[in-house]
């Protein structure tokens, strides 16, 4: 009888050790997991990456500074211009990641097509905004306004240096899962260039 009790006691101790170990392991795995903010270029990466660089990957802006405060958000790119690029939906004012801009779109949601969200921001400088991100997929010069582009399978987001105190963002993405029929980074560039040409000087 005594022997049976001793065995049960040992088994109880082992069970408690196993449970405690499982709890600790679960806490460790939870701490290592999570959903990082810096997800896709088609969205808007807001968190700094461990490999981010504070140095600007582009040369200084040579064009005149542009205004970063625009009352009519969908006047950033005139509707006639967006239609010329293929947009067939009405421009729509939209706020995303704390920035209010305008969404231009070809095709309805869930169907083959694309959309481009365009906004200007004076909340941070171009160098500060770009410096907290990883190296861009590519760089571009939009007529004296340097830009960086981040692309993946979901879309392409472009940041352009339009002012010492602000930047322009053009975020192009798919409206469905099918091929949108255009190069999304080229589409972002086209809308960014149209916006820069249309924006008044600061």
């Amino acid at each position: 009888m005594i022997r049976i009790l001793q065995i049960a006691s040992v088994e109880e101790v082992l069970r408690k050790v196993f449970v405690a170990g499982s709890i600790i392991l679960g806490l460790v795995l939870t701490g290592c997991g999570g959903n990082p903010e810096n997800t896709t270029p088609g969205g808007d990466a807001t968190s700094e990456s461990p490999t981010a660089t504070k140095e600007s990957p582009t040369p200084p802006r040579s064009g005149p500074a542009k205004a970063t405060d625009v009352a009519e958000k969908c006047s950033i790119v005139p509707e006639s211009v967006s239609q010329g690029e293929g947009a067939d939906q009405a421009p729509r004012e939209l706020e995303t990641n704390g920035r209010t801009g305008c969404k231009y779109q070809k095709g309805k949601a869930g169907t083959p097509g694309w959309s481009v969200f365009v906004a200007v921001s004076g909340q941070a400088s171009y160098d500060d905004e770009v410096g907290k991100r990883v190296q861009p997929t590519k760089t571009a010069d939009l007529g004296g306004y340097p830009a960086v582009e981040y692309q993946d399978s979901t879309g392409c987001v472009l940041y352009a240096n339009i002012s010492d105190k602000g930047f322009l963002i053009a975020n192009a993405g798919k409206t469905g899962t099918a091929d949108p029929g255009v190069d999304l980074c080229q589409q972002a560039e086209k809308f960014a260039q149209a916006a820069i040409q249309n924006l008044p000087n600061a």
Side-chain angles (χ1 to χ4, degrees), residues 94-149:
L94 183 70
E95 181 178 349
T96 177
N97 293 293
R99 304 185 189 106
T100 303
C102 190
K103 186 176 183 179
Y104 307 89
Q105 185 168 314
K106 178 180 181 180
K108 295 182 179 181
T111 66
W114 50 263
S115 68
V116 182
F117 171 77
V118 181
V120 290
S121 174
Q123 297 176 346
S125 71
Y126 167 82
D127 285 344
D128 286 344
E129 190 68 21
V130 172
K132 65 185 181 183
R133 290 175 167 77
V134 297
Q135 288 296 324
T137 306
K138 63 177 289 190
T139 60
D141 183 271
L142 307 178
Y145 298 88
V148 292
E149 299 170 15

Side-chain angles (χ1 to χ4, degrees), residues 17-94:
V17 171
F18 176 78
V19 171
S22 298
I23 293 173
I24 293 172
L25 179 61
L27 291 173
V28 171
L29 291 176
T30 301
C32 292
N35 183 25
E37 291 181 80
N38 193 3
T39 52
T40 65
D44 183 35
T46 54
S47 63
E48 292 195 26
S49 163
T51 56
T53 173
K54 292 295 183 181
E55 297 180 4
S56 176
T58 54
R61 185 188 75 252
S62 60
K66 294 291 184 175
T68 57
D69 186 11
V70 180
E72 296 293 331
K73 307 305 181 184
C74 285
S75 69
I76 297 176
V77 177
E79 188 171 0
S80 59
V81 175
S82 66
Q83 289 176 343
E85 295 298 342
D88 58 10
Q89 305 295 307
R92 181 165 61 95
E93 188 171 309
L94 183 70

